[in-house]
Amino acid sequence: MASVSEMYDVGWEEMRDKLRKWREDNRRNSEQIVDVGEELISEHASKLGDDREHVPFLIVLSPLPTSLQTCLQELRKQFPDSHRVKRLAGMRLEALERYEEANKHYDAILQDDPTNTAARKRKIAILKAQGKSTEAIRELNEYLDQLPLLFISSAAFCLEELMMTNPHNHLYCEQYAEVKYTQGGLENMELSRKYFAQALRLNNRNMRALFGLYMSASHIASSPKVSAKVKKDNIKYAAWAATQINRAYKLAGRGTKETKYSVKAVEEMLESMQITMS
Amino acid sequence: MLLLKLCILIESRQLGVDIHFSPETMPIQLTSQAYCKMLLHAAKYPNCAVNGLLVAEKTKDRKKDSEPVLCVDCLPLFHGTLALAPMLEVALTLIDTWCKENNYIIAGYYQANERKKDSRPNQVAEKVAARISENFSDAAIVMIDNSRLTMSCFEPIVIIYDHHENKWKSRDVTLDSFEDWSEAQKITSALLEGRSYENLIDFDNHLDDLRNDWTNPMINKSVLDLC
């Protein structure tokens, strides 16, 4: 069969531009997309640059299953850990009614990222397709329970925007750190610690940032997933934060009898956390 | 008394919760100091959600079904954003240490939601209460009914929830839920009218300035003076 470039006498750049336009216009001319796209991937992949990502997705989402295999293989090669790719692989399996395997893909995504709504929706779609309505309802309820997690992701996004436009505002920085901490997970905890540290650089009297630095560093240090060096570094950060906290309390406590309870409580709290870190 | 019970029944039905007196979990009782500080906290921030902890005295043996758990004091925590983890953890750990010093135990959690008509415990409330339950099995959630907050405080405006069969169910709030309701009513009303809530310190205020004392000794003294 003659190639697209031969049939229409077009170069690869024109093919790429055409695909871009179809994508922007949300066109569903699947057969053409598949033909042009497949050729671009197999013959001109290295020249595509940013479009490399979009071309295979465009093809996979077009309703024809014939070229799915090639596209998915290409995607998996380029983006081995991508959730989007896993989801597409799952969708292909769904189309072939191999529901158990499809579910495995979606469960893998959700284990890594419990806020991934797309994966959750696919799981519910499978249950519906299998006629298991009660289970579908149960999964839907679980999905609704995850909504607060979604809200917190939106909160993170909003704060990111605020920080970009107000880089010197230590309050946004510190709030962002708190949101990251609340989202949980090692990566978010490390980000949280960095932003608490940044908030402190902007305002060294921000107690929330100081406490936050202490808590996040302590959590990282007591995590079994970190290397010895990371653990050692975080113990150092936490120890520094603890000294600063104690100092701040002693300063505040001068002259008033009542705050002596706070000072002692803080010292004890810091000591008790040291035990969990070692 | 009957009218009060009827009002509470209607209110609960509107909320769609079960009224369920569970003999297995011990009811909590509020002292005037605990009740009044909760309301002062809610009054200080009328446009925000507020939350805090309730503490009881730690006793060696506690026989089931005999005495209720007396919450002697209330520690206001946050206003506005209640759901962020790090400061909540700091507050819980700090207050836990303070409790050990004073032979108290954290026995309950209170919350007033942001919206007037919403007085159900949400995820935050359930999470904190679950944490408290790890150390105190009869932990309760006390929700403040914002729609009934008035200066005169002629009726109790709290809804108490117990953990029962993995769900939080509200119980009948009677005058027995208070150590001395008429005293609580008198003191709370006086302090609300005197605007003492302006001087109430919560943990958020403490984080803003460490000299602010979240144990609220001044307000405690006012309560004592009015007893």
Side-chain angles (χ1 to χ4, degrees):
Chain A
M1 194 184 111
S3 69
V4 173
S5 49
E6 279 169 4
M7 280 203 293
Y8 298 97
D9 193 23
V10 288
W12 74 271
E13 293 103 326
E14 283 139 306
M15 286 163 69
R16 176 203 64 196
D17 292 338
K18 203 68 187 187
L19 262 187
R20 256 194 213 153
K21 186 150 194 328
W22 286 336
R23 181 167 160 256
E24 273 156 28
D25 296 343
N26 226 343
R27 293 277 294 273
R28 298 252 163 209
N29 43 337
S30 334
E31 224 172 297
Q32 288 174 307
I33 292 177
V34 168
D35 285 340
V36 174
E38 256 195 326
E39 195 167 309
L40 271 179
I41 298 175
S42 45
E43 320 238 322
H44 307 284
S46 51
K47 300 186 207 124
L48 285 176
D50 274 343
D51 289 307
R52 263 182 97 179
E53 188 187 332
H54 297 303
V55 172
F57 279 115
L58 202 57
I59 298 177
V60 175
L61 286 174
S62 66
L64 293 177
T66 45
S67 44
L68 273 174
Q69 265 296 59
T70 20
C71 290
L72 276 170
Q73 276 169 2
E74 178 66 31
L75 283 171
R76 250 189 229 128
K77 250 194 304 174
Q78 283 182 41
F79 310 107
D81 291 321
S82 163
H83 286 167
R84 255 175 107 186
V85 177
K86 275 208 184 75
R87 195 185 88 227
L88 288 174
M91 279 166 81
R92 174 182 159 264
L93 290 165
E94 268 186 79
L96 297 168
E97 293 192 351
R98 284 152 66 175
Y99 295 125
E100 283 304 311
E101 297 174 58
N103 260 322
K104 282 212 184 88
H105 280 273
Y106 300 138
D107 285 330
I109 298 175
L110 286 169
Q111 208 178 40
D112 207 41
D113 175 17
T115 64
N116 192 307
T117 35
R120 222 167 266 281
K121 282 190 198 156
R122 291 316 320 161
K123 286 191 70 169
I124 296 173
I126 291 179
L127 288 168
K128 262 182 73 185
Q130 292 174 309
K132 297 182 181 167
S133 23
T134 21
E135 281 96 328
I137 294 173
R138 187 171 35 94
E139 287 287 335
L140 256 173
N141 278 324
E142 266 184 48
Y143 166 64
L144 290 172
D145 282 334
Q146 293 294 324
L147 281 181
L149 274 174
L150 294 174
F151 290 143
I152 209 163
S153 318
S154 325
F157 176 70
C158 292
L159 280 163
E160 280 162 18
E161 295 286 310
L162 283 170
M163 283 197 297
M164 262 200 326
T165 49
N166 302 276
H168 296 299
N169 188 319
H170 64 105
L171 294 171
Y172 292 149
C173 207
E174 183 264 309
Q175 266 212 318
Y176 183 69
E178 284 197 57
V179 170
K180 282 288 151 200
Y181 184 111
T182 311
Q183 284 178 304
L186 187 58
E187 213 181 298
N188 283 329
M189 201 55 77
E190 297 199 298
L191 265 172
S192 162
R193 190 206 68 224
K194 290 183 181 153
Y195 278 96
F196 278 129
Q198 177 63 10
L200 274 173
R201 270 185 224 116
L202 294 170
N203 176 357
N204 62 359
R205 290 210 222 130
N206 187 328
M207 275 317 289
R208 285 186 181 80
L210 205 46
F211 270 120
L213 179 63
Y214 178 78
M215 299 294 285
S216 50
S218 308
H219 273 289
I220 300 172
S222 28
S223 160
K225 295 188 209 165
V226 297
S227 67
K229 178 176 190 314
V230 171
K231 186 173 168 127
K232 197 161 148 222
D233 286 340
N234 279 284
I235 292 182
K236 240 187 345 174
Y237 302 142
W240 178 86
T243 344
Q244 299 303 310
I245 294 173
N246 269 319
R247 190 175 293 174
Y249 268 94
K250 291 218 166 70
L251 208 67
R254 274 204 228 130
T256 42
K257 260 197 303 178
E258 279 86 22
T259 43
K260 77 168 183 314
Y261 280 130
S262 285
V263 177
K264 192 146 184 250
V266 168
E267 276 176 7
E268 285 190 31
M269 169 188 107
L270 296 173
E271 268 176 45
S272 70
M273 291 199 76
Q274 291 276 5
I275 299 171
T276 51
M277 280 198 287
S278 46
Chain B
M1 169 86 169
L2 200 64
L3 192 64
L4 185 69
K5 271 201 162 165
L6 202 62
C7 289
I8 294 172
L9 261 163
I10 296 171
E11 198 78 26
S12 313
R13 209 141 281 157
Q14 282 175 345
L15 292 170
V17 293
D18 298 330
I19 298 229
H20 184 101
F21 184 79
S22 32
E24 297 90 349
T25 55
M26 279 191 292
I28 64 159
Q29 233 186 23
L30 302 167
T31 60
S32 306
Q33 181 161 302
Y35 183 70
C36 135
K37 279 160 86 173
M38 278 197 291
L39 263 65
L40 286 175
H41 195 200
K44 186 180 182 190
Y45 299 105
N47 57 333
C48 294
V50 298
N51 67 354
L53 300 174
L54 293 163
V55 295
E57 275 172 6
K58 203 170 183 179
T59 54
K60 279 261 163 86
D61 350 270
R62 170 158 276 137
K63 284 172 280 175
K64 286 241 174 224
D65 291 349
S66 60
E67 285 158 22
V69 176
L70 184 64
C71 291
V72 295
D73 202 359
C74 129
L75 299 161
L77 286 179
F78 305 107
H79 55 271
T81 316
L82 307 182
L84 291 177
M87 299 309 129
L88 185 59
E89 276 188 44
V90 172
L92 283 171
T93 324
L94 207 57
I95 291 172
D96 211 34
T97 323
W98 177 83
C99 279
K100 289 200 176 75
E101 288 261 297
N102 295 282
N103 210 31
Y104 284 151
I105 186 160
I106 302 179
Y109 168 83
Y110 76 86
Q111 184 170 308
N113 288 327
E114 193 176 342
R115 286 178 304 146
K116 197 165 133 184
K117 297 220 177 114
D118 174 19
S119 37
R120 304 195 69 153
N122 59 7
Q123 249 202 7
V124 181
E126 295 192 10
K127 278 216 169 100
V128 182
R131 263 293 270 284
I132 299 173
S133 303
E134 285 171 20
N135 289 336
F136 187 77
S137 50
D138 294 321
I141 297 180
V142 176
M143 296 299 292
I144 298 178
D145 186 351
N146 301 309
S147 61
R148 291 185 289 156
L149 181 57
T150 62
M151 285 290 202
S152 53
C153 310
F154 58 90
E155 51 166 3
I157 60 165
V158 287
I159 306 165
I160 301 177
Y161 288 80
D162 302 300
H163 203 60
H164 190 66
E165 284 165 17
N166 268 328
K167 279 202 216 128
W168 287 95
K169 292 195 173 156
S170 71
R171 69 160 65 231
D172 241 355
V173 171
T174 63
L175 301 183
D176 290 331
S177 308
F178 297 87
E179 193 190 23
D180 181 345
W181 166 246
S182 59
E183 183 191 71
Q185 187 268 327
K186 187 182 69 166
I187 294 177
T188 311
S189 177
L191 290 180
L192 278 174
E193 296 201 5
R195 297 225 200 149
S196 295
Y197 48 80
E198 285 170 5
N199 304 319
L200 183 96
I201 302 292
D202 64 10
F203 204 75
D204 259 333
N205 302 135
H206 175 72
L207 289 172
D208 291 334
D209 183 340
L210 291 184
R211 291 166 298 182
N212 289 329
D213 192 343
W214 41 267
T215 61
N216 287 289
M218 302 287 278
I219 296 200
N220 292 344
K221 187 167 180 304
S222 310
V223 170
L224 217 58
D225 288 341
L226 285 168
C227 277

